[in-house]
PDB file of all heavy atoms in Angstrom:
ATOM      1  N   ARG U 295      24.727 -19.329 -18.274  1.00  0.00           N
ATOM      2  CA  ARG U 295      24.443 -20.777 -18.575  1.00  0.00           C
ATOM      3  C   ARG U 295      23.428 -21.406 -17.619  1.00  0.00           C
ATOM      4  O   ARG U 295      23.037 -22.522 -17.800  1.00  0.00           O
ATOM      5  CB  ARG U 295      25.742 -21.542 -18.561  1.00  0.00           C
ATOM      6  CG  ARG U 295      26.766 -21.046 -19.558  1.00  0.00           C
ATOM      7  CD  ARG U 295      28.036 -21.924 -19.562  1.00  0.00           C
ATOM      8  NE  ARG U 295      29.023 -21.342 -20.522  1.00  0.00           N
ATOM      9  CZ  ARG U 295      29.963 -20.558 -20.265  1.00  0.00           C
ATOM     10  NH1 ARG U 295      30.230 -20.242 -18.976  1.00  0.00           N
ATOM     11  NH2 ARG U 295      30.792 -20.124 -21.226  1.00  0.00           N
ATOM     12  N   THR U 296      23.042 -20.673 -16.583  1.00  0.00           N
ATOM     13  CA  THR U 296      22.125 -21.205 -15.650  1.00  0.00           C
ATOM     14  C   THR U 296      21.355 -20.064 -14.981  1.00  0.00           C
ATOM     15  O   THR U 296      21.919 -18.944 -14.811  1.00  0.00           O
ATOM     16  CB  THR U 296      22.780 -22.067 -14.539  1.00  0.00           C
ATOM     17  OG1 THR U 296      21.810 -22.518 -13.602  1.00  0.00           O
ATOM     18  CG2 THR U 296      23.866 -21.288 -13.840  1.00  0.00           C
ATOM     19  N   ILE U 297      20.136 -20.358 -14.563  1.00  0.00           N
ATOM     20  CA  ILE U 297      19.331 -19.377 -13.834  1.00  0.00           C
ATOM     21  C   ILE U 297      18.389 -20.128 -12.884  1.00  0.00           C
ATOM     22  O   ILE U 297      17.902 -21.220 -13.212  1.00  0.00           O
ATOM     23  CB  ILE U 297      18.540 -18.498 -14.774  1.00  0.00           C
ATOM     24  CG1 ILE U 297      17.884 -17.305 -13.992  1.00  0.00           C
ATOM     25  CG2 ILE U 297      17.522 -19.212 -15.519  1.00  0.00           C
ATOM     26  CD1 ILE U 297      17.279 -16.280 -14.863  1.00  0.00           C
ATOM     27  N   HIS U 298      18.200 -19.593 -11.721  1.00  0.00           N
ATOM     28  CA  HIS U 298      17.235 -20.185 -10.780  1.00  0.00           C
ATOM     29  C   HIS U 298      15.876 -19.714 -11.171  1.00  0.00           C
ATOM     30  O   HIS U 298      15.475 -18.580 -11.072  1.00  0.00           O
ATOM     31  CB  HIS U 298      17.565 -19.649  -9.334  1.00  0.00           C
ATOM     32  CG  HIS U 298      16.703 -20.253  -8.299  1.00  0.00           C
ATOM     33  ND1 HIS U 298      16.349 -19.614  -7.153  1.00  0.00           N
ATOM     34  CD2 HIS U 298      16.124 -21.474  -8.202  1.00  0.00           C
ATOM     35  CE1 HIS U 298      15.645 -20.413  -6.387  1.00  0.00           C
ATOM     36  NE2 HIS U 298      15.457 -21.552  -7.030  1.00  0.00           N
ATOM     37  N   CYS U 299      15.061 -20.687 -11.681  1.00  0.00           N
ATOM     38  CA  CYS U 299      13.771 -20.369 -12.245  1.00  0.00           C
ATOM     39  C   CYS U 299      12.856 -21.589 -12.255  1.00  0.00           C
ATOM     40  O   CYS U 299      13.273 -22.697 -12.604  1.00  0.00           O
ATOM     41  CB  CYS U 299      13.962 -19.823 -13.671  1.00  0.00           C
ATOM     42  SG  CYS U 299      12.448 -19.503 -14.596  1.00  0.00           S
ATOM     43  N   ASP U 300      11.585 -21.342 -11.897  1.00  0.00           N
ATOM     44  CA  ASP U 300      10.568 -22.426 -12.011  1.00  0.00           C
ATOM     45  C   ASP U 300       9.851 -22.222 -13.350  1.00  0.00           C
ATOM     46  O   ASP U 300       9.051 -21.322 -13.542  1.00  0.00           O
ATOM     47  CB  ASP U 300       9.609 -22.297 -10.858  1.00  0.00           C
ATOM     48  CG  ASP U 300       8.598 -23.453 -10.853  1.00  0.00           C
ATOM     49  OD1 ASP U 300       8.434 -24.161 -11.860  1.00  0.00           O
ATOM     50  OD2 ASP U 300       7.906 -23.658  -9.806  1.00  0.00           O
ATOM     51  N   GLY U 301      10.175 -23.081 -14.304  1.00  0.00           N
ATOM     52  CA  GLY U 301       9.630 -22.955 -15.647  1.00  0.00           C
ATOM     53  C   GLY U 301       8.149 -22.999 -15.784  1.00  0.00           C
ATOM     54  O   GLY U 301       7.584 -22.526 -16.754  1.00  0.00           O
ATOM     55  N   SER U 302       7.480 -23.583 -14.785  1.00  0.00           N
ATOM     56  CA  SER U 302       6.021 -23.687 -14.870  1.00  0.00           C
ATOM     57  C   SER U 302       5.281 -22.459 -14.443  1.00  0.00           C
ATOM     58  O   SER U 302       4.126 -22.293 -14.675  1.00  0.00           O
ATOM     59  CB  SER U 302       5.562 -24.844 -13.861  1.00  0.00           C
ATOM     60  OG  SER U 302       5.766 -24.541 -12.551  1.00  0.00           O
ATOM     61  N   LYS U 303       6.033 -21.484 -13.873  1.00  0.00           N
ATOM     62  CA  LYS U 303       5.424 -20.219 -13.467  1.00  0.00           C
ATOM     63  C   LYS U 303       5.135 -19.321 -14.653  1.00  0.00           C
ATOM     64  O   LYS U 303       5.915 -19.324 -15.635  1.00  0.00           O
ATOM     65  CB  LYS U 303       6.263 -19.511 -12.451  1.00  0.00           C
ATOM     66  CG  LYS U 303       6.621 -20.325 -11.165  1.00  0.00           C
ATOM     67  CD  LYS U 303       5.399 -20.655 -10.384  1.00  0.00           C
ATOM     68  CE  LYS U 303       5.802 -21.312  -9.080  1.00  0.00           C
ATOM     69  NZ  LYS U 303       4.607 -21.769  -8.285  1.00  0.00           N
ATOM     70  N   GLU U 304       4.054 -18.565 -14.581  1.00  0.00           N
ATOM     71  CA  GLU U 304       3.769 -17.653 -15.700  1.00  0.00           C
ATOM     72  C   GLU U 304       4.611 -16.379 -15.506  1.00  0.00           C
ATOM     73  O   GLU U 304       4.789 -15.863 -14.413  1.00  0.00           O
ATOM     74  CB  GLU U 304       2.273 -17.260 -15.657  1.00  0.00           C
ATOM     75  CG  GLU U 304       1.383 -18.420 -16.143  1.00  0.00           C
ATOM     76  CD  GLU U 304      -0.110 -17.974 -16.305  1.00  0.00           C
ATOM     77  OE1 GLU U 304      -0.344 -16.719 -16.155  1.00  0.00           O
ATOM     78  OE2 GLU U 304      -0.891 -18.844 -16.549  1.00  0.00           O
ATOM     79  N   VAL U 305       5.016 -15.822 -16.629  1.00  0.00           N
ATOM     80  CA  VAL U 305       5.797 -14.594 -16.680  1.00  0.00           C
ATOM     81  C   VAL U 305       4.950 -13.607 -17.459  1.00  0.00           C
ATOM     82  O   VAL U 305       4.472 -13.851 -18.542  1.00  0.00           O
ATOM     83  CB  VAL U 305       7.150 -14.757 -17.289  1.00  0.00           C
ATOM     84  CG1 VAL U 305       7.082 -15.444 -18.648  1.00  0.00           C
ATOM     85  CG2 VAL U 305       7.902 -13.408 -17.396  1.00  0.00           C
ATOM     86  N   SER U 306       4.665 -12.453 -16.824  1.00  0.00           N
ATOM     87  CA  SER U 306       3.833 -11.406 -17.425  1.00  0.00           C
ATOM     88  C   SER U 306       4.731 -10.377 -18.139  1.00  0.00           C
ATOM     89  O   SER U 306       5.277  -9.480 -17.505  1.00  0.00           O
ATOM     90  CB  SER U 306       2.961 -10.710 -16.347  1.00  0.00           C
ATOM     91  OG  SER U 306       2.081  -9.805 -16.980  1.00  0.00           O
ATOM     92  N   VAL U 307       4.854 -10.526 -19.453  1.00  0.00           N
ATOM     93  CA  VAL U 307       5.664  -9.581 -20.257  1.00  0.00           C
ATOM     94  C   VAL U 307       4.695  -8.924 -21.227  1.00  0.00           C
ATOM     95  O   VAL U 307       3.735  -9.490 -21.724  1.00  0.00           O
ATOM     96  CB  VAL U 307       6.766 -10.299 -21.029  1.00  0.00           C
ATOM     97  CG1 VAL U 307       7.804 -10.823 -20.078  1.00  0.00           C
ATOM     98  CG2 VAL U 307       6.236 -11.473 -21.865  1.00  0.00           C
ATOM     99  N   VAL U 308       4.995  -7.639 -21.487  1.00  0.00           N
ATOM    100  CA  VAL U 308       4.180  -6.830 -22.380  1.00  0.00           C
ATOM    101  C   VAL U 308       5.113  -6.069 -23.349  1.00  0.00           C
ATOM    102  O   VAL U 308       6.090  -5.499 -22.915  1.00  0.00           O
ATOM    103  CB  VAL U 308       3.269  -5.828 -21.658  1.00  0.00           C
ATOM    104  CG1 VAL U 308       2.112  -6.565 -20.960  1.00  0.00           C
ATOM    105  CG2 VAL U 308       4.044  -4.987 -20.631  1.00  0.00           C
ATOM    106  N   PRO U 309       4.824  -6.114 -24.637  1.00  0.00           N
ATOM    107  CA  PRO U 309       5.679  -5.427 -25.625  1.00  0.00           C
ATOM    108  C   PRO U 309       5.640  -3.882 -25.428  1.00  0.00           C
ATOM    109  O   PRO U 309       4.661  -3.316 -25.021  1.00  0.00           O
ATOM    110  CB  PRO U 309       5.058  -5.834 -26.950  1.00  0.00           C
ATOM    111  CG  PRO U 309       4.318  -7.086 -26.713  1.00  0.00           C
ATOM    112  CD  PRO U 309       3.804  -6.973 -25.356  1.00  0.00           C
ATOM    113  N   GLY U 310       6.774  -3.259 -25.694  1.00  0.00           N
ATOM    114  CA  GLY U 310       6.953  -1.855 -25.479  1.00  0.00           C
ATOM    115  C   GLY U 310       5.951  -0.983 -26.239  1.00  0.00           C
ATOM    116  O   GLY U 310       5.419  -0.026 -25.716  1.00  0.00           O
ATOM    117  N   ASP U 311       5.699  -1.317 -27.537  1.00  0.00           N
ATOM    118  CA  ASP U 311       4.845  -0.420 -28.331  1.00  0.00           C
ATOM    119  C   ASP U 311       3.363  -0.533 -27.847  1.00  0.00           C
ATOM    120  O   ASP U 311       2.641   0.475 -27.769  1.00  0.00           O
ATOM    121  CB  ASP U 311       4.919  -0.763 -29.795  1.00  0.00           C
ATOM    122  CG  ASP U 311       4.760  -2.240 -30.111  1.00  0.00           C
ATOM    123  OD1 ASP U 311       4.923  -3.066 -29.235  1.00  0.00           O
ATOM    124  OD2 ASP U 311       4.430  -2.566 -31.287  1.00  0.00           O
ATOM    125  N   LEU U 312       2.967  -1.738 -27.460  1.00  0.00           N
ATOM    126  CA  LEU U 312       1.601  -1.903 -26.930  1.00  0.00           C
ATOM    127  C   LEU U 312       1.481  -1.180 -25.598  1.00  0.00           C
ATOM    128  O   LEU U 312       0.420  -0.645 -25.249  1.00  0.00           O
ATOM    129  CB  LEU U 312       1.252  -3.400 -26.745  1.00  0.00           C
ATOM    130  CG  LEU U 312       0.658  -4.086 -28.004  1.00  0.00           C
ATOM    131  CD1 LEU U 312       1.702  -4.295 -29.067  1.00  0.00           C
ATOM    132  CD2 LEU U 312      -0.013  -5.437 -27.617  1.00  0.00           C
ATOM    133  N   THR U 313       2.543  -1.198 -24.802  1.00  0.00           N
ATOM    134  CA  THR U 313       2.545  -0.523 -23.537  1.00  0.00           C
ATOM    135  C   THR U 313       2.365   1.002 -23.700  1.00  0.00           C
ATOM    136  O   THR U 313       1.548   1.643 -22.976  1.00  0.00           O
ATOM    137  CB  THR U 313       3.805  -0.754 -22.730  1.00  0.00           C
ATOM    138  OG1 THR U 313       4.011  -2.210 -22.547  1.00  0.00           O
ATOM    139  CG2 THR U 313       3.833  -0.058 -21.402  1.00  0.00           C
ATOM    140  N   ALA U 314       3.075   1.596 -24.683  1.00  0.00           N
ATOM    141  CA  ALA U 314       2.928   3.002 -24.939  1.00  0.00           C
ATOM    142  C   ALA U 314       1.466   3.324 -25.442  1.00  0.00           C
ATOM    143  O   ALA U 314       0.871   4.348 -25.020  1.00  0.00           O
ATOM    144  CB  ALA U 314       3.965   3.455 -25.977  1.00  0.00           C
ATOM    145  N   ASN U 315       0.993   2.487 -26.249  1.00  0.00           N
ATOM    146  CA  ASN U 315      -0.410   2.659 -26.804  1.00  0.00           C
ATOM    147  C   ASN U 315      -1.429   2.553 -25.660  1.00  0.00           C
ATOM    148  O   ASN U 315      -2.372   3.300 -25.582  1.00  0.00           O
ATOM    149  CB  ASN U 315      -0.740   1.625 -27.855  1.00  0.00           C
ATOM    150  CG  ASN U 315       0.024   1.827 -29.128  1.00  0.00           C
ATOM    151  OD1 ASN U 315       0.504   3.006 -29.438  1.00  0.00           O
ATOM    152  ND2 ASN U 315       0.161   0.834 -29.936  1.00  0.00           N
ATOM    153  N   ALA U 316      -1.235   1.583 -24.763  1.00  0.00           N
ATOM    154  CA  ALA U 316      -2.113   1.399 -23.618  1.00  0.00           C
ATOM    155  C   ALA U 316      -2.049   2.639 -22.717  1.00  0.00           C
ATOM    156  O   ALA U 316      -3.107   3.067 -22.127  1.00  0.00           O
ATOM    157  CB  ALA U 316      -1.740   0.128 -22.873  1.00  0.00           C
ATOM    158  N   LEU U 317      -0.871   3.160 -22.485  1.00  0.00           N
ATOM    159  CA  LEU U 317      -0.693   4.338 -21.661  1.00  0.00           C
ATOM    160  C   LEU U 317      -1.423   5.554 -22.233  1.00  0.00           C
ATOM    161  O   LEU U 317      -2.137   6.281 -21.506  1.00  0.00           O
ATOM    162  CB  LEU U 317       0.806   4.667 -21.552  1.00  0.00           C
ATOM    163  CG  LEU U 317       1.259   5.906 -20.756  1.00  0.00           C
ATOM    164  CD1 LEU U 317       0.649   5.858 -19.332  1.00  0.00           C
ATOM    165  CD2 LEU U 317       2.754   5.977 -20.704  1.00  0.00           C
ATOM    166  N   ILE U 318      -1.394   5.718 -23.536  1.00  0.00           N
ATOM    167  CA  ILE U 318      -2.132   6.788 -24.247  1.00  0.00           C
ATOM    168  C   ILE U 318      -3.588   6.615 -24.061  1.00  0.00           C
ATOM    169  O   ILE U 318      -4.352   7.533 -23.804  1.00  0.00           O
ATOM    170  CB  ILE U 318      -1.746   6.850 -25.696  1.00  0.00           C
ATOM    171  CG1 ILE U 318      -0.250   7.323 -25.833  1.00  0.00           C
ATOM    172  CG2 ILE U 318      -2.656   7.793 -26.472  1.00  0.00           C
ATOM    173  CD1 ILE U 318       0.281   7.138 -27.244  1.00  0.00           C
ATOM    174  N   ALA U 319      -4.086   5.348 -24.266  1.00  0.00           N
ATOM    175  CA  ALA U 319      -5.482   5.048 -24.116  1.00  0.00           C
ATOM    176  C   ALA U 319      -6.022   5.280 -22.751  1.00  0.00           C
ATOM    177  O   ALA U 319      -7.111   5.796 -22.486  1.00  0.00           O
ATOM    178  CB  ALA U 319      -5.734   3.603 -24.556  1.00  0.00           C
ATOM    179  N   CYS U 320      -5.167   4.984 -21.713  1.00  0.00           N
ATOM    180  CA  CYS U 320      -5.562   5.217 -20.307  1.00  0.00           C
ATOM    181  C   CYS U 320      -5.633   6.676 -20.012  1.00  0.00           C
ATOM    182  O   CYS U 320      -6.511   7.096 -19.234  1.00  0.00           O
ATOM    183  CB  CYS U 320      -4.569   4.445 -19.412  1.00  0.00           C
ATOM    184  SG  CYS U 320      -4.790   2.684 -19.444  1.00  0.00           S
ATOM    185  N   ALA U 321      -4.740   7.487 -20.567  1.00  0.00           N
ATOM    186  CA  ALA U 321      -4.818   8.930 -20.385  1.00  0.00           C
ATOM    187  C   ALA U 321      -6.102   9.459 -20.957  1.00  0.00           C
ATOM    188  O   ALA U 321      -6.735  10.313 -20.328  1.00  0.00           O
ATOM    189  CB  ALA U 321      -3.621   9.591 -20.997  1.00  0.00           C
ATOM    190  N   TRP U 322      -6.506   8.997 -22.102  1.00  0.00           N
ATOM    191  CA  TRP U 322      -7.771   9.358 -22.690  1.00  0.00           C
ATOM    192  C   TRP U 322      -8.944   8.972 -21.790  1.00  0.00           C
ATOM    193  O   TRP U 322      -9.858   9.714 -21.594  1.00  0.00           O
ATOM    194  CB  TRP U 322      -7.936   8.756 -24.097  1.00  0.00           C
ATOM    195  CG  TRP U 322      -9.315   8.717 -24.627  1.00  0.00           C
ATOM    196  CD1 TRP U 322      -9.967   9.773 -25.219  1.00  0.00           C
ATOM    197  CD2 TRP U 322     -10.242   7.590 -24.675  1.00  0.00           C
ATOM    198  NE1 TRP U 322     -11.222   9.332 -25.573  1.00  0.00           N
ATOM    199  CE2 TRP U 322     -11.367   8.009 -25.247  1.00  0.00           C
ATOM    200  CE3 TRP U 322     -10.105   6.244 -24.239  1.00  0.00           C
ATOM    201  CZ2 TRP U 322     -12.475   7.166 -25.479  1.00  0.00           C
ATOM    202  CZ3 TRP U 322     -11.136   5.403 -24.389  1.00  0.00           C
ATOM    203  CH2 TRP U 322     -12.334   5.876 -25.039  1.00  0.00           C
ATOM    204  N   ASP U 323      -8.806   7.736 -21.258  1.00  0.00           N
ATOM    205  CA  ASP U 323      -9.922   7.214 -20.400  1.00  0.00           C
ATOM    206  C   ASP U 323     -10.016   8.018 -19.130  1.00  0.00           C
ATOM    207  O   ASP U 323     -11.138   8.325 -18.695  1.00  0.00           O
ATOM    208  CB  ASP U 323      -9.673   5.722 -20.060  1.00  0.00           C
ATOM    209  CG  ASP U 323     -10.803   5.103 -19.295  1.00  0.00           C
ATOM    210  OD1 ASP U 323     -11.877   4.982 -19.886  1.00  0.00           O
ATOM    211  OD2 ASP U 323     -10.648   4.808 -18.107  1.00  0.00           O
ATOM    212  N   VAL U 324      -8.912   8.396 -18.534  1.00  0.00           N
ATOM    213  CA  VAL U 324      -8.938   9.265 -17.310  1.00  0.00           C
ATOM    214  C   VAL U 324      -9.635  10.541 -17.578  1.00  0.00           C
ATOM    215  O   VAL U 324     -10.482  11.017 -16.840  1.00  0.00           O
ATOM    216  CB  VAL U 324      -7.476   9.505 -16.806  1.00  0.00           C
ATOM    217  CG1 VAL U 324      -7.473  10.616 -15.747  1.00  0.00           C
ATOM    218  CG2 VAL U 324      -6.883   8.221 -16.264  1.00  0.00           C
ATOM    219  N   GLY U 325      -9.293  11.130 -18.744  1.00  0.00           N
ATOM    220  CA  GLY U 325      -9.951  12.446 -19.056  1.00  0.00           C
ATOM    221  C   GLY U 325     -11.413  12.321 -19.367  1.00  0.00           C
ATOM    222  O   GLY U 325     -12.184  13.211 -18.935  1.00  0.00           O
ATOM    223  N   THR U 326     -11.874  11.273 -20.051  1.00  0.00           N
ATOM    224  CA  THR U 326     -13.254  11.141 -20.420  1.00  0.00           C
ATOM    225  C   THR U 326     -14.066  10.669 -19.158  1.00  0.00           C
ATOM    226  O   THR U 326     -15.247  11.022 -19.041  1.00  0.00           O
ATOM    227  CB  THR U 326     -13.413  10.116 -21.534  1.00  0.00           C
ATOM    228  OG1 THR U 326     -12.729   8.881 -21.227  1.00  0.00           O
ATOM    229  CG2 THR U 326     -12.850  10.642 -22.862  1.00  0.00           C
ATOM    230  N   ARG U 327     -13.456   9.922 -18.278  1.00  0.00           N
ATOM    231  CA  ARG U 327     -14.110   9.501 -17.038  1.00  0.00           C
ATOM    232  C   ARG U 327     -14.423  10.729 -16.199  1.00  0.00           C
ATOM    233  O   ARG U 327     -15.526  10.865 -15.672  1.00  0.00           O
ATOM    234  CB  ARG U 327     -13.265   8.565 -16.264  1.00  0.00           C
ATOM    235  CG  ARG U 327     -13.363   7.137 -16.625  1.00  0.00           C
ATOM    236  CD  ARG U 327     -12.277   6.290 -15.802  1.00  0.00           C
ATOM    237  NE  ARG U 327     -12.372   4.900 -16.195  1.00  0.00           N
ATOM    238  CZ  ARG U 327     -12.968   3.987 -15.442  1.00  0.00           C
ATOM    239  NH1 ARG U 327     -13.593   4.300 -14.349  1.00  0.00           N
ATOM    240  NH2 ARG U 327     -12.978   2.720 -15.793  1.00  0.00           N
TER     241      ARG U 327
END
């Protein structure tokens, strides 16, 4: 019912499927670099 939180602060959340896709893309980038 309560949490200590400053609502004006930004929260950086990323969806799981986009995260997996980004991880795959970065592995490709590491290899091509």
Side-chain angles (χ1 to χ4, degrees):
R295 301 184 181 98
T296 177
I297 189 172
H298 183 210
C299 175
D300 185 344
S302 65
K303 304 296 185 184
E304 289 187 5
V305 52
S306 184
V307 293
V308 288
D311 52 339
L312 272 72
T313 302
N315 290 339
L317 178 55
I318 292 169
C320 288
W322 164 77
D323 186 66
V324 168
T326 53
R327 276 174 180 260

